[in-house]
Structure formats: C-alpha cells, structure tokens
Amino acid sequence: MTVRHSEKERLTIMMLQEKYDLVDELLNILEQLIAIYTSLKVSNGDKQRVLAAGNLTDLQIIAQQEEKIAAVIATLEERRNTLQRMIDNTHTSFSQLIALLEEPRKQRGIALSQELRQLVNDISVVQESNSIVLNNLLKLENHKRNVLFKVSTVPEYGGNNSFASNNSIFNKII
C-alpha cells in the first residue's frame, strides 16, 4: 500500500516538473520575442531615416527584413499559445496564467510581460508615424509621376517639337 502511495507522489512530482518545464519554455519564448521586438524597434528607427530621405530602394530592403521578422514572430506566437494551452487550458490570457505561478517564475513572467507590452506599444506608435510618412511619400511619388507624365505628353513640352518651339516648362504655370 505504501508503494502505491509513493508511486502517486512520484507521478504528481513528475507532472509538476513537466508543467514547470513548459512554463520555463514559455518564459524563454517571451524573452526571444522581446529580443525580436527590440530589433524591430531598431528597424523602425532605420525605416524613419529611410522614409525621411525618400530612399525607396532601402525601404524595400527594410520591408523584406520585416517580413522575415514577422514570420519568426508568428511562429513564436503560435508556440507560445500552444504552451499556454498545455500548461493550463482554462486560462486563456497570459496574465491569468502568471497569476497561477509561484515565485520566482511569477516575478519573471510579470517582468517579461510588462517589457513586452511596453515594446509593442512603442513599436505601435512608431509604426503609426511611419505609416503616415510612407503614405505622404507615396502621394509625393505619385504626384511626381503624374507631373512627369503630363509634361511628357504635352506636345509643346515633351514632344518632338519641344526643341523647335524653344518653350520651357518653367515659363508655364502648371
């Protein structure tokens, strides 16, 4: 009878250790997400400089890098959600799950959660301003293209007789 009791205790301890391992993996994923979001925040700063300079080639390179980062984030988020369900299926939010943890995992979870939340908020603000600048840059590029198209299609300026007429675009009001 005592053997059975100790076997139950051993299984309980094994199950608890398995949960702790899952929690540790979850916290490690949060640390990875923080590192990735930090690099994304730096990338957003680079994007601001590129947008300010109007360098569309560099902007395209940054966008491709961000696509790769987004794919990594999606994979980590999927794993994070899976781990949360494996740890406790009844608590769907990370905050609820943290409340169940014991120290020191609880403090680590709270600290990581706060840092990640702040990073995401910071990135959101920068993304919003980058979106506005990008929208304005695209409008400017579209305007330039339209002006060039109009200038090139007006026979007086862009046609074959533009040299013969000696008319300059700068003498006209557009």
Side-chain angles (χ1 to χ4, degrees):
M1 194 133 184
T2 58
V3 172
R4 223 178 208 330
H5 181 69
S6 65
E7 183 67 23
K8 282 184 180 180
E9 285 177 347
R10 192 175 68 76
L11 286 174
T12 302
I13 291 170
M14 284 177 52
M15 288 174 52
L16 282 174
Q17 184 58 46
E18 197 174 293
K19 294 278 185 185
Y20 286 139
D21 290 345
L22 291 174
V23 168
D24 289 339
E25 184 179 351
L26 178 63
L27 296 176
N28 289 336
I29 285 177
L30 288 179
E31 288 174 342
Q32 291 174 28
L33 284 169
I34 287 171
I36 290 170
Y37 278 115
T38 300
S39 73
L40 191 59
K41 187 176 176 181
V42 171
S43 174
N44 276 327
D46 293 342
K47 188 190 298 183
Q48 280 184 334
R49 286 186 286 283
V50 166
L51 286 171
N55 187 336
L56 296 179
T57 305
D58 285 349
L59 183 61
Q60 185 177 14
I61 292 169
I62 290 173
Q64 290 170 348
Q65 292 169 346
E66 287 180 349
E67 284 179 19
K68 291 176 186 175
I69 291 171
V72 172
I73 289 172
T75 302
L76 287 172
E77 283 293 330
E78 184 177 316
R79 180 64 183 153
R80 181 186 64 80
N81 287 329
T82 300
L83 285 170
Q84 278 185 227
R85 286 190 301 276
M86 290 170 67
I87 293 167
D88 189 342
N89 205 10
T90 61
H91 295 86
T92 55
S93 80
F94 186 70
S95 298
Q96 291 173 336
L97 188 61
I98 289 175
L100 300 175
L101 298 177
E102 298 169 357
E103 298 298 337
R105 287 177 177 90
K106 185 174 189 172
Q107 281 303 101
R108 183 177 170 210
I110 290 170
L112 291 172
S113 176
Q114 289 172 346
E115 186 177 357
L116 189 57
R117 187 175 292 117
Q118 184 61 47
L119 266 172
V120 170
N121 286 338
D122 292 348
I123 289 171
S124 176
V125 169
V126 173
Q127 285 285 65
E128 188 174 328
S129 69
N130 282 351
S131 177
I132 292 168
V133 172
L134 179 60
N135 189 30
N136 289 335
L137 178 64
L138 291 175
K139 284 180 182 178
L140 178 62
E141 289 299 318
N142 192 34
H143 177 71
K144 286 179 185 176
R145 186 184 52 125
N146 287 339
V147 168
L148 287 174
F149 177 75
K150 287 178 182 177
V151 167
S152 68
T153 57
V154 174
E156 189 172 301
Y157 299 118
N160 290 333
N161 63 354
S162 63
F163 294 111
S165 67
N166 292 325
N167 289 331
S168 168
I169 187 171
F170 299 108
N171 294 336
K172 302 290 180 181
I173 298 175
I174 296 178

